[in-house]
Amino acid sequence: MGEISVGRQHLDRLLADSAGTYGAPYQRAFAELAEVRRGRPVAEILPLLRRAADEALLGFTEADLREQAQAISTGEPYVLRVTVT
C-alpha cells in the first residue's frame, strides 16, 4: 500500500475531473497502464508512471512509483492512502 500527503491547497490536483470514470488524471493514467502493461517489466512501466505523476504534480517518491509499477506488472491490486495536510 502506498501513501501520499497532499496539502489542502493542492487537493484540486488530485481530484481534478472528479466526475470522470477514474477521477483524477493520474488515476486514469494508472488504470490505463494497468490495463495495457500488465505482465510487462517494471523498468518499462516506471517512466510512464513518473511522467503521469509529474503531469499531475503529485510528489511520489521513486519507491512509491516502483511499488505501483510492480503492482501493474503483476496485476496485484494497489491501494493508495491519501492524507490531506
Side-chain angles (χ1 to χ4, degrees):
M1 175 188 316
E3 225 174 294
I4 187 172
S5 293
V6 177
R8 187 176 315 266
Q9 71 275 19
H10 300 298
L11 190 58
D12 61 327
R13 293 179 184 166
L14 188 64
L15 299 177
D17 188 25
S18 62
T21 304
Y22 295 106
Y26 184 77
Q27 290 173 314
R28 241 188 341 271
F30 183 94
E32 289 169 5
L33 287 171
E35 185 176 322
V36 299
R37 301 292 178 165
R38 183 177 183 179
R40 304 299 302 162
V42 169
E44 178 182 307
I45 300 166
L46 200 53
L48 303 172
L49 282 175
R50 167 54 65 203
R51 182 176 40 207
D54 288 349
E55 288 174 2
L57 302 175
L58 296 173
F60 288 116
T61 66
E62 193 66 22
D64 292 333
L65 292 172
R66 185 167 297 284
E67 187 177 281
Q68 292 175 38
Q70 182 66 37
I72 289 172
S73 179
T74 62
E76 293 294 318
Y78 183 79
V79 177
L80 177 64
R81 182 179 305 146
V82 179
T83 304
V84 179
T85 57

